[in-house]
């Protein structure tokens, strides 16, 4: 899915996004999302790691107006 972030805000340990779907390649049967639909995405912001930390990077904080690709479940 390609989406555009309309609103982005951090609340304590969570990031909350309101995003508009720009295009959809695939979706599960029964899910009725269409381009132009608005969705809300909430994800945890992990604590900042010290320098030299090995492992996966946290999900970046996306500012309003940003367009990006997303794989959603």
């Amino acid at each position: 899915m390609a989406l555009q972030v309309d609103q982005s805000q951090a609340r304590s340990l969570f990031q909350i996004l309101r995003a508009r779907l720009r295009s959809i390649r695939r979706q599960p049967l029964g899910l009725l999302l269409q381009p132009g639909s608005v969705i809300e995405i909430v994800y945890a912001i992990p604590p900042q790691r010290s320098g030299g930390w090995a492992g996966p990077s946290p999900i970046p904080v996306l500012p309003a107006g940003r367009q990006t690709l997303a794989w959603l479940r």
Side-chain angles (χ1 to χ4, degrees):
M1 293 183 190
L3 54 88
Q4 179 170 346
V5 178
D6 291 337
Q7 184 179 29
S8 176
Q9 56 181 260
R11 288 197 184 158
S12 64
L13 300 176
F14 294 97
Q15 184 71 29
I16 302 170
L17 304 176
R18 285 185 58 86
R20 186 170 312 278
L21 299 176
R22 312 246 327 145
S23 65
I24 301 169
R25 284 192 181 175
R26 289 181 288 187
Q27 64 180 315
L29 291 174
L31 195 59
L32 302 175
L33 294 175
Q34 297 179 358
S37 296
V38 175
I39 61 173
E40 186 171 272
I41 302 170
V42 178
Y43 60 93
I45 301 171
Q48 188 68 27
R49 306 270 200 261
S50 60
W53 175 264
S57 299
I59 299 171
V61 174
L62 299 173
R66 176 91 178 261
Q67 292 185 24
T68 190
L69 295 176
W71 288 264
L72 307 174
R73 290 197 275 160

